[in-house]
Amino acid sequence: MCIFCKIIEKEIPSTILYEDDKVIAFKDVNPVAPVHFLVVPKQHIASLAEVEDADEGILGHILNVCSKVAKTFPECENGYRVINNCGENAGQTVHHIHFHVIGGVNMGEKLI
Ligand code: AMP
Ligand code: ZN
């Protein structure tokens, strides 16, 4: 079982910020900003490259949850960034699709 599946099954502790039957949001253990959490589907999908047409609904739900949880942080009032690392060139290290939400800092430098 992958590390995020273990978090979903509560076999590994995490600081859970939101959970429903389809997704879980928890704090990143190695935060890169004052706010840094991950939104993860409970269904094990390895990466964005493995998404199928049937997964469109869950992808929309994930972004909605990113927005909902970000709203609970005053640090995100002036904006935040949502990041998905897909595959080797993007540096994906956990092969269970996840979306990073990062906020509370002015990210002046942008890749795009
Ligand atoms: P990525 O490089 O996009 O695959 O991101 C994986 C993220 O998962 C990293 O930011 C890690 O800090 C985070 N991470 C790894 N293990 C855990 C864990 N047990 N609890 C919370 N976050 C984790
Ligand atoms: Zn998994």
Side-chain angles (χ1 to χ4, degrees):
M1 204 189 293
C2 91
I3 191 162
F4 287 175
C5 281
K6 286 180 181 164
I7 286 175
I8 290 159
E9 294 298 327
K10 315 277 165 42
E11 288 180 18
I12 292 179
S14 69
T15 304
I16 297 172
L17 302 172
Y18 175 90
E19 183 173 16
D20 64 24
D21 57 328
K22 296 185 188 67
V23 305
I24 187 166
F26 53 89
K27 288 192 177 179
D28 196 295
V29 78
N30 188 211
V32 299
V35 176
H36 186 178
F37 63 88
L38 304 171
V39 183
V40 180
K42 289 191 170 176
Q43 176 192 353
H44 180 97
I45 301 169
S47 81
L48 198 59
E50 268 70 44
V51 158
E52 297 176 1
D53 286 350
D55 302 322
E56 272 192 9
I58 188 69
L59 290 173
H61 186 52
I62 286 168
L63 287 179
N64 190 23
V65 170
C66 289
S67 172
K68 273 185 203 297
V69 178
K71 279 192 178 74
T72 69
F73 289 98
E75 299 98 314
C76 289
E77 249 171 40
N78 291 324
Y80 52 89
R81 189 168 286 165
V82 179
I83 297 168
N84 171 257
N85 293 319
C86 175
E88 195 180 337
N89 277 6
Q92 183 179 0
T93 57
V94 177
H95 299 284
H96 181 137
I97 192 171
H98 53 280
F99 289 73
H100 298 256
V101 180
I102 292 165
V105 65
N106 190 326
M107 290 165 274
E109 283 186 36
K110 290 171 65 199
L111 192 56
I112 55 159

